[in-house]
Amino acid sequence: MPAERMADSGGEYGPTAPARPLDSVDRDILHILRTDGRASIRAVAERVHVSRTNAYARINRLVEDGVIRGFSARVNHERAGQGASAYITLKIVQNSWRTVREQLQALPGATHIALVSGDFDVLLLVHTPDNRALRELVLTRIQAIPEVLSTRTLLVFEETDLGPRPERATELG
């Protein structure tokens, strides 16, 4: 499966056709790949008790349907030189989400952007080398976006990745 196909599959909001229903084998494949995105087709096939051809076809279908949006590594940001992390909440001009999202995606260190409901409109997770870089990002880049009305920065003191665990397998399916 070429990486380009995986990264582009489904587009911004997923494929236009609804995804096909998932069965228990599909859910098991998803669990395996969420736990180990580097698992070989052969290993996946053996673990879910299907042929390699069947496993390959199922994974391709999950990619084409936009269920699998891509494969990535879980990074320890501190060890990777990104010692400061923060959630930044933004209030934005009504109906400016797409414009703001494009500008936030271009920010260095931005790793997650969500349009949310509640007291603010956007939740942004960023990782920067240090607090000085974080301050510069907020004050000179984010607050300079014309559609951003206000921001609030929540420093992250400690993170725990809640990736797939065996006891959560049934919760995910």
Side-chain angles (χ1 to χ4, degrees):
M1 289 176 284
E4 303 82 34
R5 258 189 53 216
M6 286 185 253
D8 291 339
S9 70
E12 182 180 329
Y13 297 106
T16 53
R20 291 165 270 202
L22 303 182
D23 63 17
S24 62
V25 173
D26 293 327
R27 287 189 292 278
D28 289 346
I29 289 171
L30 290 173
H31 178 71
I32 291 165
L33 293 176
R34 287 190 70 215
T35 304
D36 180 8
R38 295 174 45 166
S40 69
I41 297 289
R42 189 178 118 226
V44 170
E46 288 173 359
R47 289 183 58 193
V48 299
H49 310 292
V50 297
S51 70
R52 282 184 290 195
T53 303
N54 188 336
Y56 184 81
R58 283 173 177 266
I59 292 170
N60 273 342
R61 179 178 52 82
L62 292 167
V63 169
E64 289 168 5
D65 283 355
V67 175
I68 295 176
R69 296 182 298 164
F71 297 87
S72 63
R74 292 194 324 250
V75 175
N76 179 324
H77 294 283
E78 191 170 357
R79 292 189 57 99
Q82 302 290 302
S85 298
Y87 286 96
I88 303 168
T89 66
L90 295 84
K91 288 186 181 181
I92 62 174
V93 172
Q94 188 173 3
N95 298 321
S96 66
W97 163 241
R98 286 174 183 79
T99 303
V100 171
R101 180 185 56 212
E102 286 176 18
Q103 294 175 71
L104 295 176
Q105 286 173 326
L107 294 175
T111 59
H112 185 82
I113 304 166
L115 179 65
V116 297
S117 64
D119 293 337
F120 49 88
D121 305 305
V122 177
L123 183 63
L124 170 68
L125 175 60
V126 298
H127 302 282
T128 61
D130 53 37
N131 284 342
R132 177 170 292 183
L134 176 61
R135 182 186 70 222
E136 289 299 312
L137 182 71
V138 173
L139 297 179
T140 65
R141 301 283 302 270
I142 296 172
Q143 291 182 355
I145 298 171
E147 297 85 0
V148 172
L149 302 173
S150 66
T151 64
R152 174 175 269 163
T153 302
L154 308 166
L155 293 176
V156 175
F157 296 126
E158 186 175 315
E159 293 181 85
T160 301
D161 183 7
L162 296 179
R165 300 182 310 257
E167 67 273 13
R168 292 182 67 209
T170 55
E171 297 171 27
L172 299 173

